């Protein structure tokens, strides 16, 4: 059993907490950080996760690429998150590579890389507080409890997220509908694509907008990724009239780059 850890969240939080401001006056404020403290913060958080499991485990750390394929679906996706990484972020990741297996896949977020790995290699545990990971079948540790996610659970959560949207990530879903209301509608009318389309239509939004939201919400599995070509396969509803989409419309850069 391996622990598949969303390390973006942990390293960002740990490095940010190690920063200190120095106000020199005369309109000058400097931000500094102690690398050893930032690294120690990360290792402490990872140890907490590992200590939650009593059996022998290996830990794999997953990071997002600096290029995000979802921006080719919606330019403004996570546009408000273009902020500077905290001091030491990149150096900490390079140091972690000496002790842990680190995975970063071109154009993918850490969530997608975990989803692909978890479905290629069943029996491991995803460790992430991100509710999006409830789409991936298998065991999910949300840093509090372990939940077993079935394929049906994952499908249902994807449709819920499509309708509810995610303001943090920058896609709106159906205006005025949150997780609770989306769950009610899908439970009543069925967890099927026409239910999703109907909810968007009632707000004056067409099926193309519904599909855009569904593709943004979808966390990739091994079935949603062309391993040979190294690119995502855009999600298409199986219970609708859309033709198959192999993702050929997306131009992806697959060169190997250092973590950014």
């Amino acid at each position: 059993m391996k622990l598949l850890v969303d390390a973006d969240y942990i390293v960002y939080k740990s490095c940010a907490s190690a920063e200190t401001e120095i106000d020199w006056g005369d309109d000058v404020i400097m931000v500094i950080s102690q690398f050893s403290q930032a690294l120690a913060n990360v290792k402490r958080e990872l140890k907490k996760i590992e200590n939650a499991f009593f059996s022998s485990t290996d830990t794999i750390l997953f990071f997002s690429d600096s290029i995000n394929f979802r921006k080719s679906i919606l330019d403004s996706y996570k546009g408000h998150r273009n902020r500077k990484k905290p001091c030491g972020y990149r150096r900490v990741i390079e140091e972690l590579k000496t002790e842990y297996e680190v995975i970063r896949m071109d154009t993918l977020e850490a969530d997608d890389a975990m989803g692909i790995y978890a479905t290629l290699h069943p029996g491991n545990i995803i460790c992430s507080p991100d509710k999006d990971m409830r789409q991936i079948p298998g065991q999910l540790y949300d840093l509090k409890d372990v939940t077993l996610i079935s394929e049906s659970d994952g499908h249902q959560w994807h449709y819920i997220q499509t309708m509810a949207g995610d303001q943090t990530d920058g896609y709106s879903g159906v205006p005025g509908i949150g997780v609770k209301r989306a769950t009610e509608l899908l439970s009543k009318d069925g967890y099927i694509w026409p239910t999703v389309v109907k909810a968007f239509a009632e707000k004056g939004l067409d099926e193309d907008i519904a599909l855009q939201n569904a593709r943004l919400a979808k966390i990739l599995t091994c079935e949603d990724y062309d391993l040979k070509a190294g690119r995502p396969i855009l999600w298409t509803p199986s219970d609708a009239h859309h033709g198959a989409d192999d993702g050929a419309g997306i131009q992806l850069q697959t060169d190997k780059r250092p973590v950014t």
Side-chain angles (χ1 to χ4, degrees), residues 28-137:
V28 177
I29 299 175
M30 179 184 295
V31 177
I32 65 171
S33 176
Q34 187 174 1
F35 170 72
S36 59
Q37 181 184 347
L39 183 61
N41 290 346
V42 173
K43 289 186 175 182
R44 183 175 61 251
E45 293 300 316
L46 293 175
K47 194 64 177 177
K48 288 180 183 178
I49 294 173
E50 293 167 348
N51 286 344
F53 301 91
F54 298 102
S55 59
S56 177
T57 59
D58 292 323
T59 300
I60 304 177
L61 308 182
F62 291 81
F63 290 93
S64 298
D65 191 25
S66 58
I67 296 176
N68 192 324
F69 82 93
R70 287 181 177 82
K71 286 187 175 294
S72 63
I73 301 172
L74 180 67
D75 287 343
S76 60
Y77 180 77
K78 286 190 175 179
H80 62 291
R81 289 194 180 187
N82 292 329
R83 55 188 179 186
K84 176 184 174 295
K85 293 290 193 296
C87 293
Y89 182 86
R90 295 171 181 80
R91 184 178 171 187
V92 165
I93 294 175
E94 292 304 315
E95 181 64 25
L96 290 171
K97 289 179 180 179
T98 66
E99 299 184 42
Y100 294 91
E101 181 178 356
V102 170
I103 293 178
R104 178 188 61 82
M105 299 177 68
D106 291 341
T107 76
L108 303 187
E109 297 180 53
D111 292 354
D112 299 306
M114 286 190 293
I116 292 168
Y117 190 100
T119 49
L120 274 176
H121 308 284
N124 299 308
I125 301 177
I126 290 176
C127 303
S128 171
D130 192 335
K131 63 183 182 300
D132 291 344
M133 300 314 296
R134 292 170 62 180
Q135 295 182 34
I136 305 301

Side-chain angles (χ1 to χ4, degrees), residues 127-192:
C127 303
S128 171
D130 192 335
K131 63 183 182 300
D132 291 344
M133 300 314 296
R134 292 170 62 180
Q135 295 182 34
I136 305 301
Q139 296 185 81
L140 171 63
Y141 177 53
D142 64 2
L143 307 190
K144 294 180 181 179
D145 301 299
V146 177
T147 303
L148 181 61
I149 310 294
S150 68
E151 287 191 21
S152 177
D153 293 334
H155 167 75
Q156 292 180 8
W157 188 253
H158 173 226
Y159 276 4
I160 291 170
Q161 281 292 106
T162 297
M163 291 173 63
D166 191 327
Q167 297 301 324
T168 301
D169 286 345
Y171 65 96
S172 59
V174 181
I177 290 184
V179 169
K180 182 178 179 181
R181 181 57 179 158
T183 303
E184 291 173 349
L185 291 174
L186 288 161
S187 297
K188 174 179 176 289
D189 297 331
Y191 283 85
I192 55 176

